[in-house]
Amino acid sequence: MVCLGNICRSPIAEGVLQHLANKHNLNWTIESAGTNQFHIGEAPHKSSQKVCKENGIDISYQRARRFKKEDFVEYDLIFALATDVIDEMKTLTNAHFNETKVQLLLDVIYPGENKSVTDPWYGTEAGYYPVFEEIKKCCEAILTKYK
Ligand code: 4NP
């Protein structure tokens, strides 16, 4: 799960999908990363932590890291939370970018519509709730599709 800062959107996606996978006894390793370096080593945004906690998911252990070319080797599937994230991933990894592994997260529920999860970083706490719900729908669809 990849977003820009790895503190708002992708930590929620990591937490929700790992939670669902664990619940269904699937041995899936879910991780998240960001394309920028501004928050490396930080815990998820307090509002991301809050909305997850209210839904029974602890993401406080997560620490932001930067997306790296080795992630294309390590992971089978890479979900980008937004279209600009895909652009940044290409810039970061150049020839190592593997488009066969990358898809937009919202493509799972809105195929071909090229939609992005709104970045709640610039708004208020209220903005994190619809973001959580949208990400949750996508993660449930991933579970159904790949389990
Ligand atoms: P995220 O939100 O990509 O959902 O983690 C952002 C958080 C921080 C920044 C950008 C987006 N930033 O530029 O610091």
Side-chain angles (χ1 to χ4, degrees):
M1 297 294 183
V2 187
C3 66
L4 296 176
N6 193 208
I7 53 162
C8 299
R9 293 166 291 178
S10 61
I12 296 175
E14 175 185 335
V16 171
L17 189 56
Q18 189 70 70
H19 177 80
L20 287 172
N22 293 349
K23 207 164 100 180
H24 288 82
N25 294 315
L26 297 166
N27 190 20
W28 290 0
T29 300
I30 321 296
E31 262 203 30
S32 63
T35 53
N36 74 40
Q37 75 281 27
F38 302 129
H39 300 278
I40 292 171
E42 291 181 24
H45 191 281
K46 63 177 179 2
S47 300
S48 292
Q49 291 197 43
K50 186 176 175 194
V51 66
C52 284
K53 197 172 178 188
E54 286 174 8
N55 285 274
I57 300 169
D58 176 21
I59 61 166
S60 63
Y61 65 90
Q62 294 184 28
R63 293 296 176 266
R65 71 163 175 91
R66 200 170 196 188
F67 184 75
K68 54 186 191 295
K69 63 181 188 308
E70 289 79 8
D71 287 321
F72 285 117
V73 179
E74 190 76 17
Y75 289 93
D76 300 313
L77 294 171
I78 296 171
F79 294 96
L81 277 278
T83 55
D84 58 350
V85 173
I86 294 183
D87 296 337
E88 296 296 330
M89 285 163 73
K90 285 178 181 165
T91 304
L92 260 183
T93 62
N94 296 302
H96 299 278
F97 184 84
N98 181 350
E99 66 178 9
T100 66
K101 290 195 172 182
V102 179
Q103 53 186 305
L104 272 175
L105 182 64
L106 279 175
D107 250 34
V108 180
I109 57 171
Y110 303 119
E113 293 190 30
N114 217 37
K115 284 175 178 264
S116 299
V117 176
T118 304
D119 193 345
W121 171 250
Y122 303 98
T124 64
E125 184 178 293
Y128 287 72
Y129 287 84
V131 163
F132 178 89
E133 292 304 326
E134 198 162 53
I135 289 172
K136 187 175 140 199
K137 269 188 218 155
C138 294
C139 291
E140 287 168 347
I142 290 169
L143 188 82
T144 303
K145 187 170 175 184
Y146 294 103
K147 74 180 179 209

